[in-house]
């Protein structure tokens, strides 16, 4: 650590020496006025830059790696939450479909009961129709019988009238 401090001091003193030589006018060749960008830049050796870089990295890298790990955990947890949420949505859809299915079964039961009632009514109407047809047939047969009896009665009466009608006697 002491070496780093000394090297840093050496770099600064070297820099100060370069700065002083620039500030003094040179008798050999007149220089144009110094460039402000070059004046602000520092000359630092490569080893110092590497050590400063290592120090900076050693200072911030653990926090950055920890932050990266936490972000990865959060991302994984978010993925897990999204999957769980998707499963819950699927469950709700299934429940809604089940409710719709239950409503469909209830409606089917209602229509089945209506069909059973219609079938019973049709059977009852068929029985009534059959009874009415039998009754109508009996009435028709009775009417025909009555008409036949009336016709026979009339023929008997006509025959009786014929017999009662005076007949001329035969002369032999």
């Amino acid at each position: 650590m002491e070496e780093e401090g000394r090297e840093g001091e050496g770099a600064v003193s070297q820099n100060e020496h370069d700065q002083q030589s620039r500030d003094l006018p040179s008798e050999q060749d007149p220089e144009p006025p110094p460039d402000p960008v070059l004046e602000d830049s520092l000359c630092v050796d490569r080893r110092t830059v590497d050590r400063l870089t290592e120090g900076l990295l050693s200072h911030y890298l653990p926090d950055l790696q920890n932050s990266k790990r936490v972000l990865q955990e959060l991302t994984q947890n978010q993925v897990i939450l999204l999957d769980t949420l998707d499963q819950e949505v699927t469950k709700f859809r299934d429940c809604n479909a089940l409710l719709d299915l239950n409503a469909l079964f209830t409606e089917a039961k209602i229509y089945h009961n209506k069909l059973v009632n219609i079938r019973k009514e049709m059977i009852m109407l068929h029985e009534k129709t059959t009874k009415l047809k039998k009754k109508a047939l009996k009435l028709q047969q009775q009417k025909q019988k009555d008409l036949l009896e009336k016709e026979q009665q009339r023929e008997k009466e006509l025959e009786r009238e014929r017999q009662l009608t005076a007949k001329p006697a035969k002369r032999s």
Side-chain angles (χ1 to χ4, degrees), residues 63-79:
D63 289 338
L64 289 174
Q65 288 174 338
N66 188 32
S67 297
K68 180 180 178 182
R69 184 185 52 76
V70 168
L71 284 174
Q72 286 174 341
E73 283 181 28
L74 286 173
T75 304
Q76 288 174 340
N77 289 341
Q78 190 176 21
V79 168

Side-chain angles (χ1 to χ4, degrees), residues 18 30 32 57 60 123 128 136 141-143 150:
D18 290 341
L57 286 176
Y60 289 109
I123 290 171
K128 283 184 179 181
Q141 288 173 348
Q142 185 65 36
K143 188 176 180 182
K150 279 185 182 180

Side-chain angles (χ1 to χ4, degrees), residues 40-52:
D40 290 341
S41 66
L42 297 173
C43 291
V44 181
D45 66 357
R46 186 71 178 154
R47 191 170 172 189
T48 305
V49 171
D50 289 343
R51 286 190 179 183
L52 287 173

Side-chain angles (χ1 to χ4, degrees), residues 70-161:
V70 168
L71 284 174
Q72 286 174 341
E73 283 181 28
L74 286 173
T75 304
Q76 288 174 340
N77 289 341
Q78 190 176 21
V79 168
I80 291 169
L81 284 174
L82 286 173
D83 288 343
T84 305
L85 186 62
D86 189 40
Q87 290 172 359
E88 292 297 319
V89 167
T90 303
K91 285 180 185 177
F92 280 121
R93 285 187 185 144
D94 291 345
C95 286
N96 285 339
L98 187 61
L99 290 175
D100 291 343
L101 191 61
N102 285 338
L104 207 58
F105 275 118
T106 304
E107 192 174 350
K109 186 177 179 181
I110 290 169
Y111 284 116
H112 179 264
N113 289 336
K114 285 183 179 183
L115 285 173
V116 167
N117 290 336
I118 290 172
R119 184 170 185 249
K120 285 179 183 177
E121 275 188 51
M122 288 179 69
I123 290 171
M124 186 181 67
L125 288 174
H126 181 266
E127 289 174 358
K128 283 184 179 181
T129 305
T130 305
K131 286 179 183 178
L132 286 174
K133 283 182 182 178
K134 285 181 182 178
K135 191 173 182 179
L137 184 62
K138 283 182 183 179
L139 286 173
Q140 187 179 12
Q141 288 173 348
Q142 185 65 36
K143 188 176 180 182
Q144 286 175 352
K145 186 179 175 183
D146 289 346
L147 286 174
L148 186 61
E149 284 178 3
K150 279 185 182 180
E151 187 64 33
Q152 287 175 353
Q153 184 70 25
R154 205 170 114 198
E155 283 180 17
K156 281 183 184 179
E157 285 180 16
L158 282 176
E159 185 65 34
R160 193 171 166 223
E161 279 183 26

Side-chain angles (χ1 to χ4, degrees), residues 7-21:
E7 287 175 8
E9 287 175 11
V12 172
S13 62
Q14 175 70 27
N15 189 24
E16 287 176 2
H17 177 61
D18 290 341
Q19 184 72 20
Q20 288 174 357
S21 64

